[in-house]
């Protein structure tokens, strides 16, 4: 049986390492991208079962990336969970409106 795959789009190396460690421990195969635009290549090459998406990047914001992923037939149905420090209710509403399936605010518990 093939492991479930997760694409982690996170530019903070320490947070990325923590998330990857816990997901690997739970049996997931984790691919990652440190910039939003670099996430498009692996997601189109081998669509993951889930995308964990930060919102703040130096190249393209996560909301825009979410819109792109939702507009493509290959990635439209992949669940997206936004994982971000933006904790205002309005940020959460916007994230869900552009296509996120869930919204988790940093800091978070690995459990």
């Amino acid at each position: 049986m093939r492991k479930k795959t997760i694409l982690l789009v996170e530019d903070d190396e320490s947070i990325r390492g923590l998330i990857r460690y816990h997901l690997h421990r739970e049996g997931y195969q984790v691919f990652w991208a440190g910039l939003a635009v670099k996430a498009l290549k692996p997601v189109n090459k081998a669509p993951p079962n889930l995308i964990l998406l930060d919102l703040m990047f130096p190249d393209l914001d996560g909301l825009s990336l979410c819109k792109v992923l939702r507009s493509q037939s290959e990635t439209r149905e992949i669940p997206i969970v936004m994982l971000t420090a933006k904790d205002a209710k309005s940020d959460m509403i916007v994230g869900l409106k552009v296509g996120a399936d869930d919204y988790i605010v940093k800091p978070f518990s690995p459990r």
Side-chain angles (χ1 to χ4, degrees), residues 28-77:
Y28 295 97
Q29 186 173 7
V30 181
F31 300 95
W32 64 272
L35 295 172
V37 293
K38 291 195 176 202
L40 291 172
K41 185 175 182 181
V43 81
N44 287 326
K45 183 177 178 183
N49 299 103
L50 173 72
I51 298 171
L52 292 176
L53 177 61
D54 190 6
L55 290 184
M56 296 179 283
F57 295 97
D59 60 340
L60 177 72
D61 67 273
L63 294 172
S64 297
L65 177 57
C66 186
K67 288 178 189 176
V68 169
L69 294 169
R70 289 296 182 234
S71 71
Q72 298 176 350
S73 61
E74 304 85 6
T75 57
R76 184 174 296 132
E77 299 299 320

Side-chain angles (χ1 to χ4, degrees):
M1 178 180 226
R2 194 181 124 199
K3 282 186 178 184
K4 296 280 184 175
T5 58
I6 297 175
L7 174 62
L8 173 60
V9 189
E10 169 65 59
D11 61 336
D12 185 306
E13 190 174 338
S14 60
I15 293 173
R16 191 171 60 229
L18 175 71
I19 295 169
R20 287 178 64 216
Y21 169 79
H22 286 282
L23 290 174
H24 278 286
R25 205 172 84 189
E26 294 298 321
Y28 295 97
Q29 186 173 7
V30 181
F31 300 95
W32 64 272
L35 295 172
V37 293
K38 291 195 176 202
L40 291 172
K41 185 175 182 181
V43 81
N44 287 326
K45 183 177 178 183
N49 299 103
L50 173 72
I51 298 171
L52 292 176
L53 177 61
D54 190 6
L55 290 184
M56 296 179 283
F57 295 97
D59 60 340
L60 177 72
D61 67 273
L63 294 172
S64 297
L65 177 57
C66 186
K67 288 178 189 176
V68 169
L69 294 169
R70 289 296 182 234
S71 71
Q72 298 176 350
S73 61
E74 304 85 6
T75 57
R76 184 174 296 132
E77 299 299 320
I78 299 171
I80 297 173
V81 176
M82 291 185 174
L83 186 60
T84 180
K86 290 185 156 200
D87 62 352
K89 190 164 207 88
S90 59
D91 292 321
M92 183 183 295
I93 291 168
V94 170
L96 295 171
K97 279 188 175 183
V98 299
D101 295 285
D102 205 349
Y103 193 100
I104 299 173
V105 177
K106 297 175 190 175
F108 57 89
S109 167
R111 289 181 172 222

